[in-house]
């Protein structure tokens, strides 16, 4: 009988030092000793990707996307080697693989690539030799052999895609939090840990700023009905199961986006500039006839080609309410925030989403107020109803 295959992913904080890498090795060994085959996907050590990106921007404020992939992929290469060495020292056979060594083939989109295929034969050979396979997350190669990266958070996508394509029994995402919360607990101290989140809500939260999981990895998991469990590297708690099971919460959670800029443009030029953004690989978070919103880091690149059409660049933040039946929430929340001296610069509602654009200094206050009004209160009501039933 073939052993169960478990894919485990460890993020940058989890592998942020040699001591933490040793703790990761012990977790991997525990899973191995339970009779499982194990594939481990790791990120670069915390802070390393930012350091490498900073070096690139010191050389050129608009670096070549191809060469940026080359430098950014180096971070994970360090981590896979250190983890393989640690496992070897502890008496377990392990082999580290970069993206190209693992046969992870992507499309040609530098900095935001999509995985197309994986060399299953390479993995089967190593796993059948009773080895622990350690893979560099966030990276692959295109058909021409050029290194590509999958975008920030791409190690999640590496792990989930490998789990799906290798036929794994389970994909476990280890991070520095013990599950998925209703809002970033560093902003809202009373944020609730969710026992389970359905794919739709998780994908929406990831799209609009929740950083626990990378959006493409949730999209892949939903398509292949592959459950993901989000766990903490530092806590034995059960974590959160991301699954097809539908959530019954009207408001599931809040997603926050910082480090955004709103570009006020010449009237009716936003569509044309958005098309240029698409060609340059710049994400546009919101767009209207008179403005568009991009990441701060992309402003200089965009201004190089469209400065004559941009009149104002201003910092902005976004808060997205995620859930079902949000029409009443949208109508209700705007006057309540105004009464709290929190100015909403713009808002819109679409399926499962109410998005609010705010001044950066108002984001945390708005998050705490909305969480208390629409998540904590409903949670308390649900608990009271459960107590009455019992």
């Amino acid at each position: 009988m073939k052993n169960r295959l478990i894919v485990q992913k460890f993020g940058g904080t989890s592998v942020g030092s040699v001591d933490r890498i040793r703790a990761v090795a012990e977790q991997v060994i525990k899973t191995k000793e339970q009779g499982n085959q194990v594939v481990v996907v790791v990120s670069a050590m915390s802070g390393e990707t930012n350091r490498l990106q900073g070096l690139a921007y010191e050389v050129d404020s608009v670096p070549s996307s191809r060469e940026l992939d080359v430098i950014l992929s180096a971070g994970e290469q360090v981590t896979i080697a250190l983890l393989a060495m640690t496992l070897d020292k502890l008496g377990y056979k392990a082999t580290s693989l970069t993206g190209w060594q693992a046969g992870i083939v992507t499309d040609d989109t530098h900095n935001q690539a999509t995985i197309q295929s994986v060399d299953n034969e390479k993995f089967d050979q190593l796993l059948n030799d009773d080895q622990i396979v350690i893979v560099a997350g966030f990276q692959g190669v295109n058909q021409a052999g050029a290194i590509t990266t999958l975008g920030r958070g791409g190690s999640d996508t590496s792990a989930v895609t490998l789990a799906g394509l290798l036929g794994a029994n389970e994909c476990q995402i280890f991070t520095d939090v013990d599950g998925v919360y209703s809002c970033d607990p560093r902003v809202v101290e009373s944020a609730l840990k969710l026992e389970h989140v359905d794919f739709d809500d998780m994908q929406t939260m990831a799209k609009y700023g929740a950083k626990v999981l990378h959006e493409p990895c949730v999209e892949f998991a939903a398509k292949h009905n592959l459950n993901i469990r989000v766990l903490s590297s530092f806590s034995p708690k059960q974590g959160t199961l991301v699954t097809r099971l539908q959530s019954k919460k009207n408001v599931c959670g809040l997603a926050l986006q910082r480090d955004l800029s709103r570009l006020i443009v010449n009237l009716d030029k936003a569509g044309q500039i958005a098309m240029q953004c698409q060609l340059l690989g710049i994400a546009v978070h919101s767009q209207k006839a008179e403005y568009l919103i991009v990441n701060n880091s992309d402003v200089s690149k965009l201004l190089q080609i469209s400065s004559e059409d941009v009149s104002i660049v201003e910092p902005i933040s976004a808060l997205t309410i995620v859930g079902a039946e949000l029409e009443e929430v949208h109508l209700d929340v705007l006057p309540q925030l105004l009464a709290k001296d929190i100015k909403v610069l713009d808002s819109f509602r679409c399926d499962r989403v109410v998005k609010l654009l705010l001044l950066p200094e108002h984001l945390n206050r708005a998050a705490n107020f909305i969480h208390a009004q629409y998540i904590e209160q409903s949670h308390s009501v649900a608990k009271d109803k459960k107590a009455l039933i019992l």
Side-chain angles (χ1 to χ4, degrees), residues 290-345:
E290 69 277 13
Y291 73 75
L292 41 74
I293 294 174
V294 300
N295 295 321
N296 287 348
S297 58
D298 289 325
V299 170
S300 59
K301 183 190 295 188
L302 186 53
L303 290 179
Q304 284 192 358
I305 61 166
S306 299
S307 58
E308 68 278 5
D309 293 321
V310 178
S311 58
I312 299 173
V313 178
E314 57 188 9
I316 200 167
S317 294
L319 184 155
T320 302
I321 306 170
V322 178
E325 301 174 15
L326 294 177
E327 183 175 2
E328 187 175 331
V329 172
H330 188 203
L331 294 173
D332 188 48
V333 74
L334 298 178
Q336 290 198 62
L337 289 173
L338 185 61
K340 295 287 182 181
D341 294 323
I342 298 172
K343 184 178 180 182
V344 178
L345 303 175

Side-chain angles (χ1 to χ4, degrees), residues 163-208:
L165 297 180
L166 296 175
N169 299 90
E170 191 170 330
C171 184
Q172 301 170 347
I173 305 290
F174 288 84
T175 180
D176 56 350
V177 294
D178 60 348
V180 178
Y181 279 74
S182 53
C183 190
D184 186 341
R186 293 167 296 187
V187 175
V188 177
E189 290 186 7
S190 55
L192 308 172
K193 193 182 83 170
L194 308 175
E195 291 183 12
H196 80 268
V197 185
D198 67 55
F199 288 130
D200 287 341
D201 282 344
M202 190 68 251
Q203 189 173 346
T204 304
M205 289 176 71
K207 178 179 180 179
Y208 290 102

Side-chain angles (χ1 to χ4, degrees), residues 66 71 108 124 254 306 311 316 382:
R66 181 192 186 280
I71 190 171
D108 294 328
D124 289 343
L254 309 180
S306 299
S311 58
I316 200 167

Side-chain angles (χ1 to χ4, degrees), residues 276-295:
Q276 292 174 323
C277 288
Q278 188 174 5
L279 293 172
L280 290 169
I282 295 174
V284 176
H285 298 287
S286 296
Q287 175 192 337
K288 284 196 172 180
E290 69 277 13
Y291 73 75
L292 41 74
I293 294 174
V294 300
N295 295 321

Side-chain angles (χ1 to χ4, degrees), residues 138-380:
F138 172 69
Q139 63 181 255
V141 290
N142 62 20
Q143 292 287 354
I147 294 172
T148 55
T149 64
L150 312 182
R152 281 304 182 96
S155 293
D156 291 343
T157 300
S158 299
V160 172
T161 305
L162 281 173
L165 297 180
L166 296 175
N169 299 90
E170 191 170 330
C171 184
Q172 301 170 347
I173 305 290
F174 288 84
T175 180
D176 56 350
V177 294
D178 60 348
V180 178
Y181 279 74
S182 53
C183 190
D184 186 341
R186 293 167 296 187
V187 175
V188 177
E189 290 186 7
S190 55
L192 308 172
K193 193 182 83 170
L194 308 175
E195 291 183 12
H196 80 268
V197 185
D198 67 55
F199 288 130
D200 287 341
D201 282 344
M202 190 68 251
Q203 189 173 346
T204 304
M205 289 176 71
K207 178 179 180 179
Y208 290 102
K211 293 181 171 59
V212 179
L213 289 174
H214 192 220
E215 183 192 354
C217 94
V218 186
E219 183 180 1
F220 181 93
K223 182 178 178 180
H224 295 270
N225 197 23
L226 174 68
N227 289 350
I228 306 171
R229 188 169 293 279
V230 181
L231 301 154
S232 170
S233 302
F234 313 109
S235 167
K237 293 181 181 178
Q238 184 177 2
T240 299
L241 185 67
V242 183
T243 176
R244 191 175 296 283
L245 182 63
Q246 290 292 307
S247 170
K248 296 180 181 178
K249 300 180 181 68
N250 282 349
V251 178
C252 173
L254 309 180
L256 311 179
Q257 289 171 292
R258 305 178 192 273
D259 301 323
L260 302 176
S261 289
R262 181 162 70 163
L263 280 64
I264 308 298
V265 301
N266 296 341
L267 196 61
D268 296 327
K269 288 286 187 178
Q272 180 182 328
I273 297 174
M275 289 180 63
Q276 292 174 323
C277 288
Q278 188 174 5
L279 293 172
L280 290 169
I282 295 174
V284 176
H285 298 287
S286 296
Q287 175 192 337
K288 284 196 172 180
E290 69 277 13
Y291 73 75
L292 41 74
I293 294 174
V294 300
N295 295 321
N296 287 348
S297 58
D298 289 325
V299 170
S300 59
K301 183 190 295 188
L302 186 53
L303 290 179
Q304 284 192 358
I305 61 166
S306 299
S307 58
E308 68 278 5
D309 293 321
V310 178
S311 58
I312 299 173
V313 178
E314 57 188 9
I316 200 167
S317 294
L319 184 155
T320 302
I321 306 170
V322 178
E325 301 174 15
L326 294 177
E327 183 175 2
E328 187 175 331
V329 172
H330 188 203
L331 294 173
D332 188 48
V333 74
L334 298 178
Q336 290 198 62
L337 289 173
L338 185 61
K340 295 287 182 181
D341 294 323
I342 298 172
K343 184 178 180 182
V344 178
L345 303 175
D346 207 347
S347 70
F348 67 84
R349 182 180 68 85
C350 60
D351 186 35
R352 306 183 75 87
V353 160
V354 169
K355 186 169 184 175
L356 309 176
L357 301 182
L358 306 159
L359 294 172
E361 58 267 28
H362 289 171
L363 181 64
N364 287 7
R365 277 205 301 134
N368 277 275
F369 174 76
I370 293 171
H371 192 276
Q373 288 291 107
Y374 297 101
I375 296 179
E376 291 172 50
Q377 279 194 15
S378 64
H379 182 74
S380 297

